[in-house]
């Protein structure tokens, strides 16, 4: 109730499940660590990326009340950070701390959610965010990392075609269903037997389709 009302803020059971999933992943990775600290980190990892800047101090105040005297331990992403620096150089962008922090947040979101949205103004770095992360993870996977997987992504602009072309359409003349571009890509990616990450991206304006 203390935070501002935003369309993308979610406090339902889906958000609770994401926190539980994140805490469970941390417990498996660090079985000897204090569970209270792991839960604190899970809450922060899942919620911080979606909050606007003016809501972050309020959220941190709520967390400090729930976990007095505790602070979130810093995660070890040294290998990913080094790979991101190389990815940024390849993409011709600067690895400023704010951008790298958002890339790390996206990576943490992919660990606990099947789908997510990158929301921000035009030119805010959303496209470069997932491009940098995908190339960094792929580079680490090719180098033999067990933590990171190769990433294959497909990008669609949902506004460039009609709804029928995107999702599929029923032809009233022939009474046949024709799959849309999205359905075809989804089928192709799901049929691949590799353990690689598959990202199906809608890169365009956020509004009702």
């Amino acid at each position: 109730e203390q935070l501002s009302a935003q369309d993308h803020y979610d406090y339902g059971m889906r958000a609770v499940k994401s926190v539980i999933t994140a805490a469970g992943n941390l417990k498996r990775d660090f079985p000897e660590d204090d569970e209270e600290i792991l839960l604190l980190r899970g809450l922060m990892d899942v919620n911080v990326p979606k909050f606007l800047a003016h809501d972050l101090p309020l959220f941190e105040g709520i967390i400090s009340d729930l976990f007095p005297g505790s602070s979130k331990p810093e995660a070890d992403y040294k290998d990913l950070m080094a790979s991101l620096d190389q990815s940024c150089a390849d993409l011709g962008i600067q690895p400023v701390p704010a951008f790298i922090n958002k890339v790390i947040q996206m990576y943490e979101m992919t660990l606990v959610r099947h789908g997510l949205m990158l929301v921000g103004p035009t030119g805010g770095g959303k496209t470069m965010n997932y491009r940098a992360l995908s190339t960094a993870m792929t580079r680490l996977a090719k180098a033999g990392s067990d933590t990171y997987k190769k990433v294959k992504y497909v990008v669609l602009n949902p506004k460039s075609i009609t709804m029928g072309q995107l999702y599929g359409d029923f032809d009233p003349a022939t009474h046949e269903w024709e799959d849309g571009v999205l359905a075809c890509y989804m089928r192709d990616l799901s049929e691949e037997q590799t353990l690689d990450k598959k990202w199906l991206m809608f890169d365009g304006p956020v509004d009702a389709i």
Side-chain angles (χ1 to χ4, degrees):
E1 294 180 355
Q2 298 180 39
L3 304 177
S4 64
Q6 304 292 331
D7 291 337
H8 66 280
Y9 284 5
D10 176 20
Y11 306 109
M13 291 304 297
R14 181 170 51 188
V16 174
K17 180 183 180 298
S18 296
V19 173
I20 295 173
T21 301
N25 292 339
L26 291 169
K27 181 63 176 178
R28 281 187 289 272
D29 293 339
F30 308 99
E32 303 302 324
D33 286 12
D34 185 355
E35 291 187 355
E36 183 174 300
I37 298 299
L38 295 179
L39 179 58
L40 167 61
R41 182 177 163 188
L43 280 166
M44 297 288 286
D45 289 348
V46 170
N47 287 289
V48 167
K50 67 185 177 185
F51 287 135
L52 300 183
H54 63 268
D55 281 331
L56 283 175
L58 294 173
F59 178 72
E60 290 172 355
I62 295 172
I63 289 296
S64 65
D65 291 340
L66 292 173
F67 301 92
S70 300
S71 59
K72 175 190 171 185
E74 292 298 325
D76 182 14
Y77 290 123
K78 291 180 180 177
D79 50 353
L80 181 57
M81 300 276 277
S83 187
L84 281 173
D85 285 343
Q86 182 60 50
S87 294
C88 288
D90 295 341
L91 293 170
I93 57 178
Q94 296 181 0
V96 296
F99 177 78
I100 296 298
N101 185 44
K102 284 299 178 183
V103 177
I104 295 296
Q105 288 179 359
M106 180 183 170
Y107 170 70
E108 293 175 340
M109 284 293 96
T110 62
L111 299 180
V112 297
R113 290 189 182 274
H114 294 294
L116 55 88
M117 293 178 66
L118 300 178
V119 183
T122 300
K126 303 182 295 298
T127 299
M128 286 301 176
N129 187 312
Y130 71 75
R131 287 182 181 176
L133 179 58
S134 63
T135 55
M137 291 174 62
T138 300
R139 182 181 297 106
L140 290 172
K142 290 180 177 179
S145 172
D146 294 328
T147 303
Y148 305 99
K149 303 296 183 183
K150 294 180 182 178
V151 177
K152 175 181 180 180
Y153 64 85
V154 176
V155 184
L156 301 174
N157 182 352
K159 286 301 187 180
S160 65
I161 53 180
T162 65
M163 283 185 60
Q165 292 170 331
L166 181 63
Y167 295 109
D169 205 359
F170 180 76
D171 191 330
T174 63
H175 294 275
E176 292 182 351
W177 175 266
E178 185 174 350
D179 286 335
V181 177
L182 175 62
C184 293
Y185 274 129
M186 181 68 76
R187 183 185 302 110
D188 291 343
L189 293 175
S190 63
E191 287 178 350
E192 292 188 13
Q193 300 300 311
T194 66
L195 295 178
D196 299 348
K197 298 282 188 180
K198 291 98 175 177
W199 295 350
L200 188 51
M201 314 290 295
F202 277 10
D203 199 340
V206 179
D207 57 8
I209 298 177

